[in-house]
Amino acid sequence: MDISQLQSGDMVFAAADIVSDGEVPGYPDGALIAAAGARGVLVNTGHYEEYPDDEFYLVRFEDAQGELGFPVGCWPEELTLPTESAPS
């Protein structure tokens, strides 16, 4: 599966630290939204009006206590997919 095939409820991970630019509701400027490797759940997909040809992903990432944070828009390169376990 690749990122473009994701559906609401699918698990994703932050590919690198995701930091607020001050325009993300619920997160002050400079706040760490998700550390690299943080687990998240896909809420929805969409397009920014300024970039109608580029899909983005609305994701809620877990914090250190396993609580889901506020939804944040991510570009595909900011996300990775879970790797499937090799058969034992």
Side-chain angles (χ1 to χ4, degrees), residues 5-23:
Q5 297 172 323
L6 290 174
Q7 297 179 15
S8 295
D10 285 345
M11 186 186 336
V12 295
F13 293 90
D17 286 353
I18 298 175
V19 178
S20 173
D21 61 3
E23 295 187 21

Side-chain angles (χ1 to χ4, degrees), residues 15-72:
D17 286 353
I18 298 175
V19 178
S20 173
D21 61 3
E23 295 187 21
V24 181
Y27 296 99
D29 188 21
L32 180 64
I33 295 170
R39 184 170 55 179
V41 62
L42 179 68
V43 176
N44 206 349
T45 59
H47 300 270
Y48 285 113
E49 187 174 326
E50 298 85 15
Y51 307 102
D53 295 331
D54 297 328
E55 193 161 46
F56 76 95
Y57 301 87
L58 193 62
V59 178
R60 293 180 67 190
F61 289 100
E62 289 181 341
D63 64 14
Q65 292 76 37
E67 299 287 326
L68 292 175
F70 295 108
V72 59

